[in-house]
Amino acid sequence: MTTRTEAVKAYLLDLQDRICSALETFETDTRFIEDAWTRPAGGGGRTRVIENGSVIEKGGVNFSHVFGSGLPPSASAHRPELAGRGFEALGVSLVIHPHNPHVPTSHANVRFFIAEKEGEEPVWWFGGGFDLTPYYGNEEDCIHWHRVAEQACAPFGPDVYSRYKAWCDTYFHIKHRNEPRGIGGLFFDDLNEWDFDTCFAFIRAIGDAYIDAYLPIVQRRKAMAYTEQQRQFQEFRRGRYVEFNLVYDRGTLFGLQSGGRTESILMSLPPQVRWSYDWKAEVGSEEARLTDYFLQDRDWLGLTAPKAAV
Amino acid sequence: MTTRTEAVKAYLLDLQDRICSALETFETDTRFIEDAWTRPAGGGGRTRVIENGSVIEKGGVNFSHVFGSGLPPSASAHRPELAGRGFEALGVSLVIHPHNPHVPTSHANVRFFIAEKEGEEPVWWFGGGFDLTPYYGNEEDCIHWHRVAEQACAPFGPDVYSRYKAWCDTYFHIKHRNEPRGIGGLFFDDLNEWDFDTCFAFIRAIGDAYIDAYLPIVQRRKAMAYTEQQRQFQEFRRGRYVEFNLVYDRGTLFGLQSGGRTESILMSLPPQVRWSYDWKAEVGSEEARLTDYFLQDRDWLGLTAPKAAV
């Protein structure tokens, strides 16, 4: 293992620890359980899962470090020519499904790849981001989430947030529904445009920012009362989450294609889900407002200058 | 529309009617509702869905007849060279999710494709089959299901059942779980090895056989008592159904890729589903027996001669 890989690995393991500890502060008795696993084809991971907590219904915060001889095409967005190379991949990936429909689901991921080929320089890149999936939208939460994202990106360039925010909107799009999965955040891949140290610093900024972005939202919403009908709406919307993850998500497909540990990959799926034929929210309802207003690839921070009236 | 297409269409519409009527005999008040739809890119369908019945929790029996200018690669198992041709596709596709965990989920499909290219003979083929997904297995049901399948195939050749039974086992395999979706049945695609009339007669035999295969099983199991724990196991196993349909099923992917009507395609998804991290059935339990015994690509009719003891 190179010094770079060691440094990334140490950061990721510490990030996993810090995120789990931070999330456990919401729970009285329930704790993450840990499964350490090894992968027959090379590498392994440290899966941490929490289930049936008072706030978190199901959540997974996974660290993995895998090696392989043939990089799957899903590993890189823009460089399919690297497919088939020997590779090493490290990452932390997490999904938190709270019980209360007023608390959004969150997802975050930071990952580091190295693709190697005999006689050539290794190619490395980072990827990651975080995104939020509310069931009952709150303007305040969306602005807070995006502001933390924007502040994490700011030291790395004035356009970093807006580029990765736009990429997030594009990536987390459920094509067959023509609907975004959530209210977005950041998504990036193939990141090696800066030197290694800068890229690594950026990844750390993103990983750390997730905690600042999500915890205040959970804190604000976790004690809100909800009805059985709101719970059913949450379960119905969770179906969209499943559709995205199983049909489109490259991380999920990469994991399944590369012989990853299925239970660690699919910990992202929600605990209870409903599908109802052609269900539609009542016009003007809070449920309709989710798709009509919140799930619309909005410019939450108002960064795009409004067009001057002519 | 050619005479052939007209004949297939008339059969399929009648099959849809007969299947819906047959299934409605289990219900006292609940009936299939019908949505007729047209597809902007060409064609349309007649979706029939039943929800919250006393026996059927969610079921869809869909007829569709669509045209397009570019055949998606998922349309044919073995002839990717036809991708991109103009095409016409007709089919009936159904999935029935009963409420009671003792009643298996069933799926059936019969379809007819024509791929056309300027200056060349049109290429046509049939596909289809039916397969059963129990939650609590019953030897009697599995044997009945496969016997009806075998009898439907017998007039068309001595090896038809065993070939299409094997194809079904191969097709409905959840790779990332290394588990079959159910106890199988029949699956075939690219069928044009016989003349049109024989192929069409075969399709009719398969479509009609589904009713004879499934109804007696529903009849036998629908009044069985079940516990909340058995219901939860059913919801957990339904997760596997979702995983197969969204990750692997070519029919689903064909529909989503070809701009099909999402609600008609995804009517196949179960009404209520659970995912629990790394859940395992207790050794020796009925739940463990499902995967240990029933979901094992068995030779249910004992057609393979047992090896003589040496």
Side-chain angles (χ1 to χ4, degrees), chain A:
Chain A
M1 207 158 52
T2 67
T3 321
R4 282 177 174 179
T5 310
E6 271 167 29
V8 173
K9 183 173 178 176
Y11 169 72
L12 292 174
L13 286 168
D14 180 60
L15 178 67
Q16 185 192 32
D17 284 343
R18 286 186 291 124
I19 290 173
C20 291
S21 300
L23 291 167
E24 281 177 346
T25 61
F26 294 120
E27 301 294 339
T28 41
D29 306 318
T30 321
R31 292 288 172 265
F32 279 90
I33 55 126
E34 179 174 306
D35 267 347
W37 50 274
T38 54
R39 181 169 164 277
R46 197 168 80 173
T47 291
R48 295 225 183 115
V49 174
I50 191 165
E51 284 184 299
N52 305 314
S54 53
V55 171
I56 304 175
E57 189 175 346
K58 186 180 171 199
V61 182
N62 295 345
F63 165 80
S64 66
H65 181 189
V66 302
F67 324 94
S69 53
L71 186 74
S74 52
S76 159
H78 294 137
R79 284 177 299 186
E81 76 277 10
L82 298 177
R85 283 195 177 206
F87 72 96
E88 192 166 344
L90 292 89
V92 163
S93 185
L94 70 91
V95 175
I96 305 299
H97 291 289
H99 193 87
N100 189 320
H102 294 293
V103 188
T105 286
S106 69
H107 162 250
N109 173 239
V110 282
R111 57 188 181 274
F112 178 56
F113 274 85
I114 308 178
E116 286 167 335
K117 197 176 178 179
E118 188 83 34
E120 295 188 28
E121 273 290 288
V123 179
W124 59 262
W125 68 96
F126 288 93
F130 50 73
D131 61 281
L132 193 73
T133 306
Y135 304 96
Y136 288 89
N138 280 287
E139 191 97 18
E140 181 190 6
D141 294 351
C142 299
I143 293 172
H144 164 77
W145 181 262
H146 278 273
R147 196 176 306 287
V148 173
E150 193 270 331
Q151 286 165 353
C153 294
F156 298 87
D159 65 339
V160 173
Y161 164 75
S162 58
R163 281 195 291 130
Y164 293 168
K165 188 268 186 202
W167 198 347
C168 189
D169 288 341
T170 305
Y171 180 81
F172 290 103
H173 186 78
I174 307 171
K175 287 186 203 71
H176 61 269
R177 301 284 187 184
N178 193 24
E179 216 175 64
R181 185 173 81 170
I183 61 100
L186 300 170
F187 180 90
F188 56 96
D189 199 1
D190 295 314
L191 176 68
N192 66 356
E193 63 186 79
W194 307 312
D195 61 54
F196 175 85
D197 289 345
T198 308
C199 288
F200 183 30
F202 179 68
I203 276 289
R204 295 198 304 272
I206 299 307
D208 295 354
Y210 164 77
I211 302 174
D212 299 332
Y214 192 49
L215 265 68
I217 296 174
V218 179
Q219 186 60 42
R220 270 203 289 272
R221 308 292 164 207
K222 71 187 170 70
M224 282 178 73
Y226 62 89
T227 65
E228 176 55 28
Q229 195 199 321
Q230 290 175 323
R231 170 70 185 176
Q232 288 188 14
F233 179 66
Q234 176 199 43
E235 292 181 0
F236 165 77
R237 290 298 313 175
R238 282 171 170 178
R240 299 289 207 265
Y241 211 84
V242 174
E243 291 175 26
F244 180 83
N245 284 18
L246 295 184
V247 177
Y248 302 109
D249 186 54
R250 283 199 296 118
T252 302
L253 299 176
F254 169 76
L256 298 177
Q257 285 172 7
S258 62
R261 183 172 181 265
T262 296
E263 285 295 336
S264 298
I265 299 162
L266 298 186
M267 65 80 197
S268 64
L269 300 180
Q272 292 188 41
V273 186
R274 276 169 202 268
W275 276 275
S276 186
Y277 173 72
D278 208 19
W279 187 86
K280 286 186 180 76
E282 219 174 291
V283 175
S285 64
E286 273 304 295
E287 290 77 16
R289 192 165 150 80
L290 176 70
T291 39
D292 294 349
Y293 179 78
F294 287 95
L295 303 186
Q296 291 289 344
D297 296 355
R298 288 188 175 274
D299 174 15
W300 291 103
L301 303 182
L303 298 178
T304 313
K307 288 195 183 114
V310 183

Side-chain angles (χ1 to χ4, degrees), chain B residues 29-98:
Chain B
D29 306 318
T30 321
R31 293 288 172 264
F32 279 90
I33 55 126
E34 179 174 307
D35 267 348
W37 49 274
T38 54
R39 181 169 164 275
R46 197 168 80 173
T47 291
R48 295 226 182 113
V49 174
I50 191 164
E51 284 184 299
N52 305 314
S54 53
V55 171
I56 304 174
E57 189 175 345
K58 185 180 171 199
V61 182
N62 295 345
F63 164 81
S64 66
H65 181 189
V66 302
F67 323 94
S69 53
L71 186 74
S74 52
S76 159
H78 294 137
R79 284 177 298 186
E81 75 276 11
L82 297 178
R85 282 195 177 205
F87 72 97
E88 192 166 343
L90 292 89
V92 163
S93 185
L94 69 91
V95 175
I96 305 299
H97 291 289

